[in-house]
Amino acid sequence: MSWQSEFPSLTITENDTLPKLTVSHLVSWGAITVTGDDKKSYLQGQLTCDVVSLPEDQSTLGAHCDAKGKAWTIFRLFSHQDGYAMLQPLSAIEKELTEIKKYAVFSKVTIEESQGVLLGIMGEEADTYIDTLSEDTGHVRKIENGTAVKISDQRWLLLVNEESARNIVETADAVKAHEALWSMADILQGLPIVNQDAQNEYIPQAFNLQALGGISFSKGCYTGQEMVARAKYRGINKRAMYIVKGKLTASITEGSSVEIERSVGENWRKAGTLLAHYQYADGCVIGLIVLPNNLEQETNLRACSEPESIWTIQPLPYSISDE
């Protein structure tokens, strides 16, 4: 049996204690790598984040936008081998790769989809385990045949070659878990997940990127910068990303979407589609969705598929205020 098929779904509820160490094969995620003499200056002129000031041992969230400020992708940028890697949902890469390479012919850069394997390491023993892979101490560490990136407390991403990935999976004293567990953590932490269906729909602030350190308002020009800056200084952004929670009696099948409505007086109006979701064993569902940013916290929501079940907006673990 291949090591790649050994990641079962964990049967948990939202109140269950998670294993002390889990490893997941992140098959729904990918990365774009950027190498070459002009890699830093090229990305600086394309992305919302400040690439020039990013230390090698740190990562940052960021967006790549079109000229109107609409995000092609939300990514995590970090130093990887002899260049940079941009972690993002795999479904977004095809379009993003075309867009990010548009002006590469004028610079000394090579931009391509990474062939590396992505693993997610989670749990209270995650830091201790990563220490066994590297003597470095930063949030971005060189490891054998790849890179380890700290995403949050008790959570690390590994971008390695297949040989190293197989060795880690087979030798780590960790519970093997389906990648849905990784998505659950992203949702609970309010980290944007922009798949193919959400590309080129919203400006970065609609995904709370300004609150997550993914937009520099002092770095200078980049594609879409005028619109992104206008949204901040003229207050024209009317949307934000929220965590929502509800319950569904039916299981959400892989690849399906969840449509949400919001209450408007006595009526209901379409609110949007969940960017990402996780369903616990008891049917409880958490998800991310872009909504008007002036909604009251008490606004009722519901899934179109099961309108009898009321959903609620959950507190974000950070402030989205521009103040």
Side-chain angles (χ1 to χ4, degrees), residues 149-168:
V149 184
K150 186 165 189 174
I151 303 300
S152 58
D153 289 343
Q154 303 183 5
R155 204 153 67 104
W156 287 79
L157 171 93
L158 307 184
L159 176 55
V160 292
N161 68 10
E162 185 169 349
E163 179 183 357
S164 289
R166 183 177 62 251
N167 181 61
I168 288 168

Side-chain angles (χ1 to χ4, degrees), residues 15-239:
N15 297 317
D16 285 343
T17 300
L18 297 178
K20 292 184 178 180
L21 188 66
T22 64
V23 57
S24 301
H25 184 198
L26 306 182
V27 295
S28 297
W29 291 82
I32 290 174
T33 57
V34 184
T35 57
D37 292 345
D38 296 337
K39 57 184 181 292
K40 184 176 294 187
S41 60
Y42 183 78
L43 291 178
Q44 184 76 347
Q46 295 292 318
L47 310 180
T48 61
C49 54
D50 192 342
V51 183
V52 170
S53 65
L54 181 66
E56 286 194 9
D57 64 350
Q58 300 291 322
S59 71
T60 182
L61 292 175
H64 179 226
C65 304
D66 67 6
K68 296 180 180 179
K70 301 290 183 66
W72 290 115
T73 187
I74 304 291
F75 55 81
R76 182 174 294 274
L77 179 76
F78 54 92
S79 294
H80 175 63
Q81 295 177 335
D82 57 349
Y84 292 101
M86 299 165 62
L87 171 75
Q88 57 200 284
L90 186 62
S91 69
I93 284 185
E94 181 179 2
K95 185 62 177 177
E96 166 58 10
L97 195 58
T98 298
E99 296 299 327
I100 195 69
K101 291 172 69 173
K102 270 188 175 178
Y103 307 105
V105 66
F106 303 110
S107 300
K108 296 178 181 178
V109 291
T110 300
I111 304 173
E112 55 193 2
E113 182 176 352
S114 171
Q115 299 305 304
V117 177
L118 289 160
L119 300 177
I121 306 293
M122 289 177 56
E124 62 183 63
E125 296 180 358
D127 287 358
T128 300
Y129 176 72
I130 296 301
D131 287 341
T132 69
L133 302 180
S134 174
E135 296 181 354
D136 296 341
T137 58
H139 286 193
V140 176
R141 306 182 186 182
K142 295 179 180 178
I143 61 175
E144 185 176 1
N145 297 316
T147 306
V149 184
K150 186 165 189 174
I151 303 300
S152 58
D153 289 343
Q154 303 183 5
R155 204 153 67 104
W156 287 79
L157 171 93
L158 307 184
L159 176 55
V160 292
N161 68 10
E162 185 169 349
E163 179 183 357
S164 289
R166 183 177 62 251
N167 181 61
I168 288 168
V169 170
E170 292 178 346
T171 62
D173 185 15
V175 174
K176 299 176 181 65
H178 190 272
E179 64 173 348
L181 195 70
W182 186 265
S183 294
M184 178 198 73
D186 274 341
I187 292 167
L188 290 173
Q189 292 166 8
L191 299 179
I193 302 173
V194 180
N195 291 295
Q196 182 181 29
D197 292 343
Q199 286 183 289
N200 203 222
E201 289 290 324
Y202 303 109
I203 63 173
Q205 287 96 323
F207 301 109
N208 304 348
L209 204 60
Q210 79 287 355
L212 294 164
I215 305 175
S216 171
F217 292 100
S218 60
K219 60 170 276 189
C221 293
Y222 57 87
T223 303
Q225 183 262 345
E226 181 179 354
M227 296 303 297
V228 174
R230 185 179 299 173
K232 172 180 173 64
Y233 296 113
R234 297 188 181 180
I236 63 174
N237 176 50
K238 303 301 181 185
R239 293 187 174 273

